[in-house]
């Protein structure tokens, strides 16, 4: 087990240094922007609008479940798992000092993030949002594959940005994704939880956006 853990750790270090060290001025600006919450606010507003258009009277019921699952993924990963595991972020790891490229913040100084990085809350949050949004909206749209590709891209670019800025190891990100799946999939697959109330697939009015 120690040998396997050591191999994983060495691969983790190699991959984070590779991703973090491969950079351009354009990617620096793009990855910093993607890693923040504010640029995604229009997207989140669009999600809420789509849910309201599709579910109408059932909107608050669906939105509440959506909100609670995403919030739980965020709070539990940040407030419980990170301090429990207490794995330092790459930016706080002494053995990576001088090897990891510290990411310059637009306002000056360098980005360090919080002390602990396992597991990635960004990965957990974005995966939860993408999975739940697809589940709730897919019965109403025709271009489901296009939506799925877009949402997978959304999750991937945010997760990649967190490694690019040195905030998380790859296993932090992968664990965040798996954690979100563990939270959301039971609700999606449980037939007792009616996530699509009063929907008759034969009478769906498809949303024209997709």
């Amino acid at each position: 087990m120690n040998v396997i853990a050591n191999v994983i750790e060495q691969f983790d270090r190699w991959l984070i240094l590779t991703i973090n060290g491969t950079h351009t001025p354009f990617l620096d600006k793009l990855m910093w922007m993607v890693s923040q919450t504010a640029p995604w606010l229009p997207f989140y507003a669009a999600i809420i609008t789509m849910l309201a258009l599709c579910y109408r009277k059932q909107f608050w019921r669906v939105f509440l479940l959506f909100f609670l699952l995403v919030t739980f993924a965020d709070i539990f990963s940040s407030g419980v798992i990170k301090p429990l595991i207490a794995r330092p972020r790459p930016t706080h790891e002494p053995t990576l000092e001088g090897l990891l490229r510290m990411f310059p913040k637009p306002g000056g100084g360098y980005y360090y993030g919080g002390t602990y990085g396992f597991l990635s809350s960004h990965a957990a949050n974005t995966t939860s949002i993408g999975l739940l949004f697809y589940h709730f909206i897919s019965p109403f749209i025709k271009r489901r594959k296009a939506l799925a590709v877009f949402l997978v891209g959304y999750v991937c670019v945010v997760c990649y940005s967190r490694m690019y800025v040195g905030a998380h190891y790859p296993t932090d990100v992968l664990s965040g994704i798996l954690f979100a799946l563990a939270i959301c999939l039971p609700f999606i697959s449980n037939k007792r939880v009616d996530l699509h109330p009063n929907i008759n697939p034969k009478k769906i009015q498809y949303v024209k956006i997709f």
Side-chain angles (χ1 to χ4, degrees):
M1 291 299 295
N2 290 334
V3 174
I4 295 176
N6 185 58
V7 170
I8 294 175
E9 182 180 355
Q10 292 304 315
F11 180 76
D12 230 11
R13 289 168 58 92
W14 171 79
L15 190 54
I16 184 63
L17 290 174
T18 300
I19 294 173
N20 171 260
T22 306
H23 66 95
T24 65
F26 171 75
L27 280 178
D28 284 355
K29 294 179 180 179
L30 178 63
M31 290 296 104
W32 177 257
M33 180 182 69
V34 167
S35 189
Q36 306 304 302
T37 300
W40 293 104
L41 291 179
F43 173 56
Y44 300 146
I47 289 178
I48 295 173
T49 301
M50 291 280 289
L51 291 176
L53 289 174
C54 293
Y55 285 92
R56 300 184 182 183
K57 293 182 179 180
Q58 298 287 348
F59 165 71
W60 289 109
R61 179 171 180 257
V62 172
F63 176 76
L64 181 61
L65 180 57
F66 193 113
F67 177 79
L68 289 176
L69 288 174
V70 174
T71 300
F72 178 78
D74 179 57
I75 294 177
F76 196 83
S77 60
S78 294
V80 178
I81 297 180
K82 281 182 179 176
L84 181 64
I85 303 299
R87 184 192 193 187
R89 292 179 187 269
T91 51
H92 290 268
E93 176 53 60
T95 60
L96 292 180
E97 187 174 353
L99 299 175
L100 188 74
R101 182 180 69 95
M102 299 304 297
F103 194 85
K105 295 189 294 185
Y110 294 96
Y111 176 75
Y112 286 88
T115 304
Y116 304 128
F118 186 92
L119 46 79
S120 170
S121 297
H122 275 74
N125 296 344
T126 53
T127 302
S128 298
I129 290 172
L131 186 61
L132 292 170
F133 181 53
Y134 181 82
H135 179 67
F136 283 122
I137 297 298
S138 59
F140 296 91
I141 63 176
K142 293 181 179 180
R143 298 179 182 176
R144 295 172 185 169
K145 290 184 179 179
L147 178 61
V149 169
F150 171 77
L151 292 174
V152 169
Y154 155 68
V155 173
C156 288
V157 73
V158 172
C159 290
Y160 185 85
S161 74
R162 300 304 290 162
M163 294 182 288
Y164 185 92
V165 302
H168 289 291
Y169 292 103
T171 50
D172 295 342
V173 171
L174 178 60
S175 299
I177 293 173
L178 294 177
F179 176 67
L181 293 176
I183 291 174
C184 297
L185 288 180
F187 285 90
I188 291 175
S189 60
N190 191 346
K191 295 181 179 180
R192 295 181 180 180
V193 180
D194 188 7
L195 298 178
H196 295 134
N198 303 323
I199 292 180
N200 184 343
K202 296 181 180 180
K203 296 182 179 181
I204 288 177
Q205 294 182 352
Y206 292 100
V207 179
K208 294 183 178 180
I209 296 177
F210 293 97

mmCIF file with all atom_site columns, all heavy atoms in Angstrom, residues 170-189:
data_model
loop_
_atom_site.group_PDB
_atom_site.id
_atom_site.type_symbol
_atom_site.label_atom_id
_atom_site.label_alt_id
_atom_site.label_comp_id
_atom_site.label_asym_id
_atom_site.label_entity_id
_atom_site.label_seq_id
_atom_site.pdbx_PDB_ins_code
_atom_site.Cartn_x
_atom_site.Cartn_y
_atom_site.Cartn_z
_atom_site.occupancy
_atom_site.B_iso_or_equiv
_atom_site.pdbx_formal_charge
_atom_site.auth_seq_id
_atom_site.auth_comp_id
_atom_site.auth_asym_id
_atom_site.auth_atom_id
_atom_site.pdbx_PDB_model_num
ATOM 1   N N   . PRO A 1 170 ? -3.966  17.030 -8.881  1.00 0.00 ? 170 PRO A N   1
ATOM 2   C CA  . PRO A 1 170 ? -4.952  16.299 -9.689  1.00 0.00 ? 170 PRO A CA  1
ATOM 3   C C   . PRO A 1 170 ? -5.842  15.381 -8.863  1.00 0.00 ? 170 PRO A C   1
ATOM 4   O O   . PRO A 1 170 ? -7.042  15.256 -9.138  1.00 0.00 ? 170 PRO A O   1
ATOM 5   C CB  . PRO A 1 170 ? -4.068  15.500 -10.659 1.00 0.00 ? 170 PRO A CB  1
ATOM 6   C CG  . PRO A 1 170 ? -2.853  16.345 -10.824 1.00 0.00 ? 170 PRO A CG  1
ATOM 7   C CD  . PRO A 1 170 ? -2.610  16.951 -9.467  1.00 0.00 ? 170 PRO A CD  1
ATOM 8   N N   . THR A 1 171 ? -5.281  14.724 -7.835  1.00 0.00 ? 171 THR A N   1
ATOM 9   C CA  . THR A 1 171 ? -6.122  13.843 -7.018  1.00 0.00 ? 171 THR A CA  1
ATOM 10  C C   . THR A 1 171 ? -7.120  14.631 -6.166  1.00 0.00 ? 171 THR A C   1
ATOM 11  O O   . THR A 1 171 ? -8.183  14.106 -5.825  1.00 0.00 ? 171 THR A O   1
ATOM 12  C CB  . THR A 1 171 ? -5.258  12.963 -6.097  1.00 0.00 ? 171 THR A CB  1
ATOM 13  O OG1 . THR A 1 171 ? -4.321  13.779 -5.386  1.00 0.00 ? 171 THR A OG1 1
ATOM 14  C CG2 . THR A 1 171 ? -4.521  11.896 -6.886  1.00 0.00 ? 171 THR A CG2 1
ATOM 15  N N   . ASP A 1 172 ? -6.803  15.878 -5.839  1.00 0.00 ? 172 ASP A N   1
ATOM 16  C CA  . ASP A 1 172 ? -7.772  16.739 -5.155  1.00 0.00 ? 172 ASP A CA  1
ATOM 17  C C   . ASP A 1 172 ? -8.990  16.955 -6.047  1.00 0.00 ? 172 ASP A C   1
ATOM 18  O O   . ASP A 1 172 ? -10.138 16.896 -5.604  1.00 0.00 ? 172 ASP A O   1
ATOM 19  C CB  . ASP A 1 172 ? -7.162  18.111 -4.828  1.00 0.00 ? 172 ASP A CB  1
ATOM 20  C CG  . ASP A 1 172 ? -6.017  18.031 -3.840  1.00 0.00 ? 172 ASP A CG  1
ATOM 21  O OD1 . ASP A 1 172 ? -5.894  17.010 -3.147  1.00 0.00 ? 172 ASP A OD1 1
ATOM 22  O OD2 . ASP A 1 172 ? -5.250  19.005 -3.763  1.00 0.00 ? 172 ASP A OD2 1
ATOM 23  N N   . VAL A 1 173 ? -8.695  17.231 -7.317  1.00 0.00 ? 173 VAL A N   1
ATOM 24  C CA  . VAL A 1 173 ? -9.752  17.504 -8.292  1.00 0.00 ? 173 VAL A CA  1
ATOM 25  C C   . VAL A 1 173 ? -10.571 16.250 -8.570  1.00 0.00 ? 173 VAL A C   1
ATOM 26  O O   . VAL A 1 173 ? -11.808 16.281 -8.572  1.00 0.00 ? 173 VAL A O   1
ATOM 27  C CB  . VAL A 1 173 ? -9.142  18.044 -9.603  1.00 0.00 ? 173 VAL A CB  1
ATOM 28  C CG1 . VAL A 1 173 ? -10.189 18.119 -10.707 1.00 0.00 ? 173 VAL A CG1 1
ATOM 29  C CG2 . VAL A 1 173 ? -8.519  19.420 -9.371  1.00 0.00 ? 173 VAL A CG2 1
ATOM 30  N N   . LEU A 1 174 ? -9.878  15.139 -8.809  1.00 0.00 ? 174 LEU A N   1
ATOM 31  C CA  . LEU A 1 174 ? -10.581 13.878 -9.085  1.00 0.00 ? 174 LEU A CA  1
ATOM 32  C C   . LEU A 1 174 ? -11.461 13.478 -7.904  1.00 0.00 ? 174 LEU A C   1
ATOM 33  O O   . LEU A 1 174 ? -12.612 13.040 -8.090  1.00 0.00 ? 174 LEU A O   1
ATOM 34  C CB  . LEU A 1 174 ? -9.564  12.774 -9.374  1.00 0.00 ? 174 LEU A CB  1
ATOM 35  C CG  . LEU A 1 174 ? -10.146 11.373 -9.629  1.00 0.00 ? 174 LEU A CG  1
ATOM 36  C CD1 . LEU A 1 174 ? -11.070 11.388 -10.838 1.00 0.00 ? 174 LEU A CD1 1
ATOM 37  C CD2 . LEU A 1 174 ? -9.021  10.355 -9.825  1.00 0.00 ? 174 LEU A CD2 1
ATOM 38  N N   . SER A 1 175 ? -10.956 13.659 -6.697  1.00 0.00 ? 175 SER A N   1
ATOM 39  C CA  . SER A 1 175 ? -11.741 13.326 -5.501  1.00 0.00 ? 175 SER A CA  1
ATOM 40  C C   . SER A 1 175 ? -12.961 14.230 -5.376  1.00 0.00 ? 175 SER A C   1
ATOM 41  O O   . SER A 1 175 ? -14.033 13.780 -4.944  1.00 0.00 ? 175 SER A O   1
ATOM 42  C CB  . SER A 1 175 ? -10.865 13.449 -4.253  1.00 0.00 ? 175 SER A CB  1
ATOM 43  O OG  . SER A 1 175 ? -9.786  12.557 -4.306  1.00 0.00 ? 175 SER A OG  1
ATOM 44  N N   . GLY A 1 176 ? -12.818 15.494 -5.747  1.00 0.00 ? 176 GLY A N   1
ATOM 45  C CA  . GLY A 1 176 ? -13.955 16.407 -5.720  1.00 0.00 ? 176 GLY A CA  1
ATOM 46  C C   . GLY A 1 176 ? -15.040 15.990 -6.685  1.00 0.00 ? 176 GLY A C   1
ATOM 47  O O   . GLY A 1 176 ? -16.238 16.050 -6.374  1.00 0.00 ? 176 GLY A O   1
ATOM 48  N N   . ILE A 1 177 ? -14.634 15.534 -7.869  1.00 0.00 ? 177 ILE A N   1
ATOM 49  C CA  . ILE A 1 177 ? -15.600 15.063 -8.866  1.00 0.00 ? 177 ILE A CA  1
ATOM 50  C C   . ILE A 1 177 ? -16.328 13.824 -8.356  1.00 0.00 ? 177 ILE A C   1
ATOM 51  O O   . ILE A 1 177 ? -17.565 13.722 -8.443  1.00 0.00 ? 177 ILE A O   1
ATOM 52  C CB  . ILE A 1 177 ? -14.883 14.760 -10.195 1.00 0.00 ? 177 ILE A CB  1
ATOM 53  C CG1 . ILE A 1 177 ? -14.355 16.057 -10.820 1.00 0.00 ? 177 ILE A CG1 1
ATOM 54  C CG2 . ILE A 1 177 ? -15.826 14.051 -11.172 1.00 0.00 ? 177 ILE A CG2 1
ATOM 55  C CD1 . ILE A 1 177 ? -13.483 15.841 -12.043 1.00 0.00 ? 177 ILE A CD1 1
ATOM 56  N N   . LEU A 1 178 ? -15.571 12.866 -7.819  1.00 0.00 ? 178 LEU A N   1
ATOM 57  C CA  . LEU A 1 178 ? -16.177 11.629 -7.306  1.00 0.00 ? 178 LEU A CA  1
ATOM 58  C C   . LEU A 1 178 ? -17.096 11.910 -6.119  1.00 0.00 ? 178 LEU A C   1
ATOM 59  O O   . LEU A 1 178 ? -18.150 11.268 -5.971  1.00 0.00 ? 178 LEU A O   1
ATOM 60  C CB  . LEU A 1 178 ? -15.073 10.645 -6.900  1.00 0.00 ? 178 LEU A CB  1
ATOM 61  C CG  . LEU A 1 178 ? -14.198 10.116 -8.042  1.00 0.00 ? 178 LEU A CG  1
ATOM 62  C CD1 . LEU A 1 178 ? -13.096 9.222  -7.494  1.00 0.00 ? 178 LEU A CD1 1
ATOM 63  C CD2 . LEU A 1 178 ? -15.044 9.354  -9.066  1.00 0.00 ? 178 LEU A CD2 1
ATOM 64  N N   . PHE A 1 179 ? -16.712 12.863 -5.293  1.00 0.00 ? 179 PHE A N   1
ATOM 65  C CA  . PHE A 1 179 ? -17.538 13.247 -4.148  1.00 0.00 ? 179 PHE A CA  1
ATOM 66  C C   . PHE A 1 179 ? -18.879 13.800 -4.613  1.00 0.00 ? 179 PHE A C   1
ATOM 67  O O   . PHE A 1 179 ? -19.935 13.447 -4.067  1.00 0.00 ? 179 PHE A O   1
ATOM 68  C CB  . PHE A 1 179 ? -16.793 14.288 -3.316  1.00 0.00 ? 179 PHE A CB  1
ATOM 69  C CG  . PHE A 1 179 ? -17.581 14.830 -2.154  1.00 0.00 ? 179 PHE A CG  1
ATOM 70  C CD1 . PHE A 1 179 ? -17.922 14.024 -1.083  1.00 0.00 ? 179 PHE A CD1 1
ATOM 71  C CD2 . PHE A 1 179 ? -17.983 16.160 -2.130  1.00 0.00 ? 179 PHE A CD2 1
ATOM 72  C CE1 . PHE A 1 179 ? -18.646 14.512 -0.013  1.00 0.00 ? 179 PHE A CE1 1
ATOM 73  C CE2 . PHE A 1 179 ? -18.703 16.664 -1.063  1.00 0.00 ? 179 PHE A CE2 1
ATOM 74  C CZ  . PHE A 1 179 ? -19.046 15.841 0.005   1.00 0.00 ? 179 PHE A CZ  1
ATOM 75  N N   . ALA A 1 180 ? -18.856 14.641 -5.636  1.00 0.00 ? 180 ALA A N   1
ATOM 76  C CA  . ALA A 1 180 ? -20.101 15.205 -6.179  1.00 0.00 ? 180 ALA A CA  1
ATOM 77  C C   . ALA A 1 180 ? -20.985 14.111 -6.767  1.00 0.00 ? 180 ALA A C   1
ATOM 78  O O   . ALA A 1 180 ? -22.212 14.123 -6.586  1.00 0.00 ? 180 ALA A O   1
ATOM 79  C CB  . ALA A 1 180 ? -19.772 16.254 -7.236  1.00 0.00 ? 180 ALA A CB  1
ATOM 80  N N   . LEU A 1 181 ? -20.375 13.171 -7.457  1.00 0.00 ? 181 LEU A N   1
ATOM 81  C CA  . LEU A 1 181 ? -21.147 12.059 -8.018  1.00 0.00 ? 181 LEU A CA  1
ATOM 82  C C   . LEU A 1 181 ? -21.793 11.235 -6.914  1.00 0.00 ? 181 LEU A C   1
ATOM 83  O O   . LEU A 1 181 ? -22.952 10.807 -7.041  1.00 0.00 ? 181 LEU A O   1
ATOM 84  C CB  . LEU A 1 181 ? -20.236 11.172 -8.872  1.00 0.00 ? 181 LEU A CB  1
ATOM 85  C CG  . LEU A 1 181 ? -19.681 11.794 -10.154 1.00 0.00 ? 181 LEU A CG  1
ATOM 86  C CD1 . LEU A 1 181 ? -18.728 10.825 -10.844 1.00 0.00 ? 181 LEU A CD1 1
ATOM 87  C CD2 . LEU A 1 181 ? -20.803 12.198 -11.104 1.00 0.00 ? 181 LEU A CD2 1
ATOM 88  N N   . ALA A 1 182 ? -21.057 11.018 -5.835  1.00 0.00 ? 182 ALA A N   1
ATOM 89  C CA  . ALA A 1 182 ? -21.586 10.237 -4.713  1.00 0.00 ? 182 ALA A CA  1
ATOM 90  C C   . ALA A 1 182 ? -22.769 10.930 -4.057  1.00 0.00 ? 182 ALA A C   1
ATOM 91  O O   . ALA A 1 182 ? -23.677 10.275 -3.526  1.00 0.00 ? 182 ALA A O   1
ATOM 92  C CB  . ALA A 1 182 ? -20.485 10.001 -3.687  1.00 0.00 ? 182 ALA A CB  1
ATOM 93  N N   . ILE A 1 183 ? -22.786 12.257 -4.093  1.00 0.00 ? 183 ILE A N   1
ATOM 94  C CA  . ILE A 1 183 ? -23.883 13.017 -3.501  1.00 0.00 ? 183 ILE A CA  1
ATOM 95  C C   . ILE A 1 183 ? -25.102 13.058 -4.417  1.00 0.00 ? 183 ILE A C   1
ATOM 96  O O   . ILE A 1 183 ? -26.233 12.844 -3.987  1.00 0.00 ? 183 ILE A O   1
ATOM 97  C CB  . ILE A 1 183 ? -23.435 14.458 -3.189  1.00 0.00 ? 183 ILE A CB  1
ATOM 98  C CG1 . ILE A 1 183 ? -22.421 14.470 -2.048  1.00 0.00 ? 183 ILE A CG1 1
ATOM 99  C CG2 . ILE A 1 183 ? -24.636 15.334 -2.805  1.00 0.00 ? 183 ILE A CG2 1
ATOM 100 C CD1 . ILE A 1 183 ? -21.829 15.827 -1.794  1.00 0.00 ? 183 ILE A CD1 1
ATOM 101 N N   . CYS A 1 184 ? -24.861 13.322 -5.693  1.00 0.00 ? 184 CYS A N   1
ATOM 102 C CA  . CYS A 1 184 ? -25.962 13.585 -6.620  1.00 0.00 ? 184 CYS A CA  1
ATOM 103 C C   . CYS A 1 184 ? -26.596 12.334 -7.219  1.00 0.00 ? 184 CYS A C   1
ATOM 104 O O   . CYS A 1 184 ? -27.815 12.282 -7.410  1.00 0.00 ? 184 CYS A O   1
ATOM 105 C CB  . CYS A 1 184 ? -25.480 14.497 -7.748  1.00 0.00 ? 184 CYS A CB  1
ATOM 106 S SG  . CYS A 1 184 ? -24.951 16.129 -7.204  1.00 0.00 ? 184 CYS A SG  1
ATOM 107 N N   . LEU A 1 185 ? -25.783 11.329 -7.538  1.00 0.00 ? 185 LEU A N   1
ATOM 108 C CA  . LEU A 1 185 ? -26.316 10.153 -8.221  1.00 0.00 ? 185 LEU A CA  1
ATOM 109 C C   . LEU A 1 185 ? -27.398 9.414  -7.446  1.00 0.00 ? 185 LEU A C   1
ATOM 110 O O   . LEU A 1 185 ? -28.367 8.924  -8.049  1.00 0.00 ? 185 LEU A O   1
ATOM 111 C CB  . LEU A 1 185 ? -25.181 9.201  -8.593  1.00 0.00 ? 185 LEU A CB  1
ATOM 112 C CG  . LEU A 1 185 ? -24.278 9.664  -9.739  1.00 0.00 ? 185 LEU A CG  1
ATOM 113 C CD1 . LEU A 1 185 ? -23.190 8.634  -10.009 1.00 0.00 ? 185 LEU A CD1 1
ATOM 114 C CD2 . LEU A 1 185 ? -25.090 9.934  -10.998 1.00 0.00 ? 185 LEU A CD2 1
ATOM 115 N N   . PRO A 1 186 ? -27.295 9.274  -6.115  1.00 0.00 ? 186 PRO A N   1
ATOM 116 C CA  . PRO A 1 186 ? -28.382 8.603  -5.389  1.00 0.00 ? 186 PRO A CA  1
ATOM 117 C C   . PRO A 1 186 ? -29.733 9.296  -5.558  1.00 0.00 ? 186 PRO A C   1
ATOM 118 O O   . PRO A 1 186 ? -30.768 8.621  -5.634  1.00 0.00 ? 186 PRO A O   1
ATOM 119 C CB  . PRO A 1 186 ? -27.909 8.659  -3.926  1.00 0.00 ? 186 PRO A CB  1
ATOM 120 C CG  . PRO A 1 186 ? -26.430 8.711  -4.014  1.00 0.00 ? 186 PRO A CG  1
ATOM 121 C CD  . PRO A 1 186 ? -26.144 9.551  -5.217  1.00 0.00 ? 186 PRO A CD  1
ATOM 122 N N   . PHE A 1 187 ? -29.738 10.623 -5.614  1.00 0.00 ? 187 PHE A N   1
ATOM 123 C CA  . PHE A 1 187 ? -30.989 11.348 -5.807  1.00 0.00 ? 187 PHE A CA  1
ATOM 124 C C   . PHE A 1 187 ? -31.505 11.181 -7.227  1.00 0.00 ? 187 PHE A C   1
ATOM 125 O O   . PHE A 1 187 ? -32.707 11.038 -7.460  1.00 0.00 ? 187 PHE A O   1
ATOM 126 C CB  . PHE A 1 187 ? -30.791 12.833 -5.505  1.00 0.00 ? 187 PHE A CB  1
ATOM 127 C CG  . PHE A 1 187 ? -30.683 13.145 -4.044  1.00 0.00 ? 187 PHE A CG  1
ATOM 128 C CD1 . PHE A 1 187 ? -29.448 13.140 -3.416  1.00 0.00 ? 187 PHE A CD1 1
ATOM 129 C CD2 . PHE A 1 187 ? -31.813 13.427 -3.289  1.00 0.00 ? 187 PHE A CD2 1
ATOM 130 C CE1 . PHE A 1 187 ? -29.329 13.413 -2.055  1.00 0.00 ? 187 PHE A CE1 1
ATOM 131 C CE2 . PHE A 1 187 ? -31.709 13.703 -1.936  1.00 0.00 ? 187 PHE A CE2 1
ATOM 132 C CZ  . PHE A 1 187 ? -30.463 13.695 -1.321  1.00 0.00 ? 187 PHE A CZ  1
ATOM 133 N N   . ILE A 1 188 ? -30.595 11.188 -8.179  1.00 0.00 ? 188 ILE A N   1
ATOM 134 C CA  . ILE A 1 188 ? -30.997 11.072 -9.578  1.00 0.00 ? 188 ILE A CA  1
ATOM 135 C C   . ILE A 1 188 ? -31.521 9.672  -9.888  1.00 0.00 ? 188 ILE A C   1
ATOM 136 O O   . ILE A 1 188 ? -32.489 9.507  -10.634 1.00 0.00 ? 188 ILE A O   1
ATOM 137 C CB  . ILE A 1 188 ? -29.805 11.401 -10.491 1.00 0.00 ? 188 ILE A CB  1
ATOM 138 C CG1 . ILE A 1 188 ? -29.476 12.898 -10.380 1.00 0.00 ? 188 ILE A CG1 1
ATOM 139 C CG2 . ILE A 1 188 ? -30.104 11.040 -11.940 1.00 0.00 ? 188 ILE A CG2 1
ATOM 140 C CD1 . ILE A 1 188 ? -28.242 13.305 -11.140 1.00 0.00 ? 188 ILE A CD1 1
ATOM 141 N N   . SER A 1 189 ? -30.895 8.653  -9.320  1.00 0.00 ? 189 SER A N   1
ATOM 142 C CA  . SER A 1 189 ? -31.264 7.269  -9.626  1.00 0.00 ? 189 SER A CA  1
ATOM 143 C C   . SER A 1 189 ? -32.380 6.720  -8.747  1.00 0.00 ? 189 SER A C   1
ATOM 144 O O   . SER A 1 189 ? -32.956 5.670  -9.060  1.00 0.00 ? 189 SER A O   1
ATOM 145 C CB  . SER A 1 189 ? -30.030 6.368  -9.501  1.00 0.00 ? 189 SER A CB  1
ATOM 146 O OG  . SER A 1 189 ? -29.505 6.421  -8.185  1.00 0.00 ? 189 SER A OG  1
#
